[in-house]
Amino acid sequence: MNLLAQSTSPYLLQHKDNPVHWRQWGPEALEEARAANKPILLSIGYAACHWCHVMAHESFENPATAAVMNELFVNIKVDREERPDIDSIYQTALNMMGEQGGWPLTMFLTPQGEPYWGGTYFPPEAKFGKPAFADLLREVAKLYRENGEQVTKNTQTLRNGLTQLFEQNRPGQQLDPMTLDAAMKRLCQQIDVFHGGLLGAPKFPNVPVVELMWRAYLNTGMPQFQHAVDMSLTNMCQGGLYDHLGGGFARYSVDDRWFVPHFEKMLYDNAQLVDVLSLVWLHTRNPVHKARVEETVGWALREMLVEGGAFAASIDADSEGVEGKFYVWSEAEIDEQLGKDAQLFKQVYDVRPEGNWEGKNILHRLRAPVPLPAVQEGKLNALREKLFVERAKRVKPMRDDKVLADWNGLMIYALAQAADAMNRVDWQAAAVKAFWFIADTMGSGSKLMHSWRAGKIGAAGLADDYANMARAALALYEITGHPPYLEKAIAWAQTLNDDFWRMDIGGYALTPASGDPLIVRVRTVMDGATPATNGTMMHVLARLSMLTGDVAHAQRLGVLTQVFAEDSRRQPVSAATYFNGFDSILRAVQIVVVAPRNDPGIAPFREVFRRMSLPNKVVTVVPPGENLHPTHPANGKGQINGRVTVYLCAGQVCSPPVTDPNQLELQLKTRVLTPDQMPTQRA
């Protein structure tokens, strides 16, 4: 038995019976490597990863290969979802070697944890232009034993590169509106004009990029921005990326037209897509986008909830050892289940006798993306339900049921926003329940843990956990007016400032100063699979600054808009969350509603918000007689004739009082905003 049996990670538990003597990452494993003067084989993956399963079956379950690994290396297995800090370092190191990253990640380290060689998947026999794994193991171990000079050169080069990337300041001219506009235009030029999304394959949803295109449309009214967003979202929603029977989006499309998915479903992708689809639907009222929000939320509440109300991490791509087997169909199966109605379904969902993918059929509507007449769509709904019931009899893919605070923060935020947009109190209740599970079960006071599973706490909290949960707290505060949400957001932001802020160079590191001593502390503005903390905190700090008047939040914002300005200008695609946050600062609209929080007269004003896409609105409900913070432009303003009264504020200027919802809608549609001067004082 290896040393993974006590792990909280389903991915690590998948490997607990391997003949490889796996260790978990920690000081004991590193000390063992130093004592034996053995290099480390670091293998990083996650439970839903198809090629991780392939390499496990081919190599890690093979006694002969395991014997070579055990003889030559100290072997460490890491779940990238539990330890994104470790994954980020070594993925970046592999990129610096000129290799494309991904999972499984296979890195070779010195006993000090410094990388000197690496790759991703390696086959058991030489193929795909890759050497046989066992041969590679011997060569890499030999390199460490016999060519120390080359190893030292490699490690120093990579460590210098990592330090320069993550721990050195590259401030440029402070971010400004012209830079934001230029970034929006550059991103639009990289959109695939035929299929949407970014050019090329594989195609990932890249939701922050889609959101930035949408903000560009709202700011300018230029139709090319709206077209880029609509084309991207519609093809994602109608392609094979989407599960047309059960709801939910796969992680990415392996082709350039959203047809063939990589079948695993991740909580973070679906959260971000629910959010952006809701935001865009508020303006376009596209029925396909609304349906996908409803179906994806339905999938999350049906299949992803764990005991206590939080959300599980992912669903595997494989079932019965075959990628996508759960999701694909033969024509004969469709005919058998749907009988005389099969022809309509096959025509709309591209079901062919020979199959449309590897002899089977992936259901998609790329050939019929426009909704049919209501009678036919109703018929298709009933046919999909029949197939869904039949599919449920198949062997289901495994679910990774660990709870991650950062991914839950994304889903709670998305659920709250979608609930507000579509007036779904049941979705809001689910968001509230998940929020308090994370805050109470995985948190204490101002502290959070990163992971939880089956009653066991896992890894310590990272910056992403605090940032995403703080943003979720602020969304729930604006919707409910319940003060504990604001208090949680303030407390978590304070922990970020105390434990994660780099006083020497500015910005938030992924790990706290007191955390696991890795070879570098990751600090970046570049989005990965999930939004970067420093981008998310642009949103959080901007809202906290407006809601509390605390100048410390504005000071932090001033630093963020400078220390990452140069990086964001060079790589606007990767810094999309950061640019979205900057847009929210420039064009913030503070909407102050003076009325008792439970006043039914507020409802017509909230309906106004549901008729408009307002990503930068900050809503505060103030009971009569209560004050806002002293520097708020609406502080001290009251009701008119005892009626619900609304003030629109931008910068330090507020509109005259509004008591008619129609007048509020008109003002929101025709407003001209003058943004505040950007804060420049360094914290």
Side-chain angles (χ1 to χ4, degrees):
M1 181 180 292
N2 59 42
L3 303 181
L4 303 183
Q6 300 306 311
S7 171
T8 58
S9 161
Y11 172 65
L12 268 58
L13 292 173
Q14 289 173 1
H15 294 269
K16 68 181 177 64
D17 296 319
N18 291 170
V20 179
H21 191 180
W22 293 116
R23 291 85 163 157
Q24 295 190 57
W25 182 277
E28 297 86 358
L30 297 176
E31 178 54 38
E32 182 179 342
R34 287 191 289 268
N37 193 26
K38 277 187 177 182
I40 293 168
L41 191 162
L42 174 65
S43 176
I44 303 180
Y46 58 102
C49 168
H50 169 70
W51 284 102
C52 299
H53 301 329
V54 172
M55 192 167 178
H57 297 322
E58 292 176 343
S59 295
F60 303 150
E61 295 171 8
N62 183 301
T65 303
V68 177
M69 296 172 65
N70 294 336
E71 177 189 355
L72 300 177
F73 298 94
V74 170
N75 302 289
I76 298 178
K77 178 64 79 172
V78 167
D79 182 341
R80 67 105 170 175
E81 296 169 0
E82 281 201 334
R83 293 301 303 267
D85 51 337
I86 295 173
D87 182 61
S88 180
I89 291 170
Y90 295 108
Q91 291 282 357
T92 305
L94 185 62
N95 295 154
M96 290 177 175
M97 296 176 191
E99 298 288 332
Q100 184 174 353
W103 300 279
L105 180 66
T106 308
M107 293 296 289
F108 298 93
L109 319 178
T110 69
Q112 289 70 40
E114 298 175 313
Y116 69 93
W117 207 83
T120 51
Y121 163 79
F122 290 101
E125 294 89 24
K127 59 181 177 179
F128 309 136
K130 294 176 177 285
F133 187 51
D135 293 341
L136 172 76
L137 294 172
R138 295 184 181 96
E139 287 301 314
V140 173
K142 182 179 178 182
L143 174 66
Y144 177 78
R145 290 194 312 269
E146 299 181 7
N147 200 340
E149 183 178 340
Q150 182 63 46
V151 169
T152 300
K153 181 180 177 181
N154 288 0
T155 58
Q156 287 180 345
T157 299
L158 290 169
R159 186 155 192 165
N160 289 341
L162 291 168
T163 300
Q164 183 176 3
L165 179 64
F166 291 131
E167 297 204 352
Q168 289 186 5
N169 205 349
R170 293 176 297 280
Q173 184 177 356
Q174 193 167 43
L175 217 54
D176 54 48
M178 291 179 61
T179 302
L180 175 62
D181 293 343
M184 289 173 168
K185 292 173 184 175
R186 281 179 62 189
L187 290 184
C188 196
Q189 293 167 358
Q190 297 180 53
I191 297 295
D192 184 333
V193 298
F194 298 105
H195 308 297
L198 295 173
L199 287 164
K203 262 186 160 56
F204 291 83
N206 282 309
V207 174
V209 171
V210 177
E211 181 184 332
L212 191 57
M213 294 297 93
W214 183 245
R215 287 172 177 270
Y217 168 67
L218 295 177
N219 295 343
T220 67
M222 295 174 68
Q224 55 264 48
F225 289 121
Q226 182 179 18
H227 178 67
V229 171
D230 184 68
M231 182 172 50
S232 299
L233 292 179
T234 296
N235 285 333
M236 291 181 208
C237 288
Q238 298 292 54
L241 186 80
Y242 186 73
D243 178 0
H244 291 269
L245 301 185
F249 293 83
R251 191 163 76 92
Y252 65 89
S253 167
V254 302
D255 62 313
D256 67 349
R257 62 190 186 98
W258 306 108
F259 167 46
V260 180
H262 193 43
F263 289 90
E264 66 207 44
K265 294 181 183 177
M266 315 301 292
L267 183 66
Y268 61 78
D269 285 320
N270 285 280
Q272 292 177 87
L273 282 161
V274 164
D275 180 29
V276 77
L277 284 166
S278 302
L279 180 65
V280 173
W281 174 81
L282 282 166
H283 180 84
T284 66
R285 289 309 200 256
N286 185 320
V288 173
H289 297 171
K290 183 182 183 185
R292 297 299 177 261
V293 170
E294 292 171 335
E295 293 160 1
T296 301
V297 171
W299 161 79
L301 296 179
R302 183 183 68 247
E303 297 190 21
M304 299 301 284
L305 286 179
V306 303
E307 183 180 355
F311 293 92
S314 64
I315 293 179
D316 208 324
D318 298 8
S319 56
E320 300 181 80
V322 179
E323 182 184 10
K325 184 175 182 179
F326 182 76
Y327 298 100
V328 297
W329 297 80
S330 68
E331 184 189 45
E333 289 172 318
I334 299 292
D335 288 338
E336 179 183 356
Q337 294 302 317
L338 302 185
K340 62 183 178 62
D341 297 317
Q343 192 56 42
L344 171 65
F345 187 88
K346 290 191 294 184
Q347 181 179 354
V348 173
Y349 287 94
D350 188 32
V351 176
R352 308 176 193 178
E354 72 281 8
N356 60 27
W357 175 73
E358 296 185 358
K360 295 287 188 177
N361 289 283
I362 296 170
L363 303 182
H364 72 96
R365 290 191 62 163
L366 290 171
R367 296 168 66 177
V370 178
L372 300 175
V375 173
Q376 289 179 294
E377 286 294 344
K379 185 68 174 176
L380 289 170
N381 289 342
L383 298 178
R384 286 201 311 274
E385 181 61 27
K386 275 189 177 182
L387 294 178
F388 174 73
V389 171
E390 180 63 23
R391 191 180 75 175
K393 300 173 185 177
R394 298 176 176 177
V395 176
K396 293 184 178 181
M398 189 204 79
R399 184 180 76 159
D400 184 334
D401 60 352
K402 70 175 175 291
V403 174
L404 300 171
D406 55 341
W407 295 9
N408 269 263
L410 292 171
M411 181 55 86
I412 294 163
Y413 177 84
L415 257 184
Q417 297 293 82
D420 194 40
M422 299 182 185
N423 198 19
R424 291 291 299 264
V425 293
D426 54 334
W427 295 357
Q428 181 179 313
V432 167
K433 188 172 184 180
F435 179 90
W436 288 111
F437 179 92
I438 303 297
D440 292 340
T441 305
M442 297 174 62
S444 177
S446 62
K447 300 293 185 181
L448 281 172
M449 299 301 289
H450 175 61
S451 62
W452 177 96
R453 180 176 181 268
K456 293 183 180 179
I457 291 293
L462 300 169
D464 289 349
D465 302 311
Y466 291 95
N468 289 341
M469 284 300 295
R471 194 179 188 205
L474 290 172
L476 287 170
Y477 173 69
E478 291 184 39
I479 292 167
T480 68
H482 194 41
Y485 294 114
L486 178 59
E487 293 164 7
K488 279 294 182 186
I490 292 170
W492 289 330
Q494 189 59 52
T495 297
L496 279 166
N497 291 337
D498 291 343
D499 298 346
F500 295 85
W501 183 263
R502 292 293 303 265
M503 292 298 296
D504 50 347
I505 53 177
Y508 297 97
L510 181 58
T511 53
S514 59
D516 194 356
L518 304 176
I519 61 172
V520 69
R521 285 181 73 193
V522 173
R523 163 192 162 274
T524 184
V525 74
M526 301 302 165
D527 298 328
T530 56
T533 290
N534 287 291
T536 302
M537 287 305 292
M538 295 279 280
H539 299 263
V540 171
L541 292 170
R543 275 175 157 69
L544 283 175
S545 179
M546 288 179 271
L547 291 169
T548 69
D550 188 340
V551 296
H553 302 311
Q555 291 171 339
R556 300 280 185 196
L557 275 176
V559 178
L560 291 180
T561 57
Q562 185 171 32
V563 297
F564 296 113
E566 190 60 33
D567 289 348
S568 66
R569 287 188 178 98
R570 288 202 306 263
Q571 301 184 62
V573 168
S574 297
T577 299
Y578 181 67
F579 281 117
N580 288 328
F582 187 62
D583 182 71
S584 73
I585 298 167
L586 287 179
R587 298 181 174 91
V589 182
Q590 297 191 68
I591 303 173
V592 178
V593 182
V594 184
R597 290 192 174 94
N598 59 354
D599 190 331
I602 296 175
F605 292 91
R606 288 205 176 272
E607 285 301 320
V608 171
F609 306 152
R610 296 187 182 112
R611 293 195 289 271
M612 304 179 68
S613 184
L614 299 167
N616 297 331
K617 73 178 188 299
V618 181
V619 180
T620 309
V621 178
V622 186
E626 285 191 17
N627 288 323
L628 296 161
H629 63 80
T631 59
H632 196 291
N635 186 41
K637 296 185 182 294
Q639 287 188 319
I640 302 298
N641 299 324
R643 300 171 63 186
V644 175
T645 304
V646 178
Y647 299 88
L648 297 184
C649 306
Q652 292 301 309
V653 179
C654 293
S655 69
V658 178
T659 57
D660 179 2
N662 293 325
Q663 185 184 359
L664 174 65
E665 186 168 5
L666 180 64
Q667 285 201 20
L668 283 169
K669 287 180 176 178
T670 60
R671 71 193 187 282
V672 178
L673 302 178
T674 304
D676 279 339
Q677 288 292 107
M678 284 302 302
T680 57
Q681 183 177 357
R682 290 185 62 87

